[in-house]
Amino acid sequence: ADRKKLTALLDAGSGVEYEGEDKPTASAEEALAIRAWNLLHNGSGAIDWAGLPVVTELLGIDDIEGLLQRLEVILLHKPPKTNPEGE
């Protein structure tokens, strides 16, 4: 899994703008990992691991190791802080 690309994608999703660069786009695997995260996260910053088999079956995910690596990036991602004064 390309951690930098997924991190840039998550940053873009949280409103970070890239001057002179195209907005990152998700690969099929990254899009599935984000969908899996949306189905598995419990709202407290953690993942409901008991649902993993159901979600992987539902989404047709075969690369469990790749999914876990992407979920780790998503779980640990902290959007960059923006300066409200624009400095």
Side-chain angles (χ1 to χ4, degrees):
D2 186 353
R3 291 175 178 267
K4 287 184 181 182
K5 182 180 174 216
L6 182 53
T7 299
L9 181 67
L10 295 169
D11 287 346
S14 64
V16 173
E17 294 184 23
Y18 294 88
E19 280 188 37
E21 296 180 25
D22 293 331
K23 182 178 176 180
T25 56
S27 67
E29 293 84 6
E30 291 163 340
L32 282 173
I34 292 168
R35 286 185 66 196
W37 167 261
N38 288 334
L39 292 167
L40 291 170
H41 78 96
N42 66 10
S44 299
I47 293 175
D48 181 3
W49 293 108
L52 186 64
V54 173
V55 169
T56 55
E57 182 69 27
L58 175 71
L59 299 178
I61 298 172
D62 295 322
D63 180 11
I64 305 303
E65 183 177 342
L67 173 65
L68 292 177
Q69 290 172 351
R70 290 176 188 91
L71 287 175
E72 177 187 20
V73 171
I74 295 168
L75 177 68
L76 298 176
H77 178 258
K78 292 182 178 35
K81 295 183 181 178
T82 57
N83 187 340
E85 298 168 5
E87 294 180 17

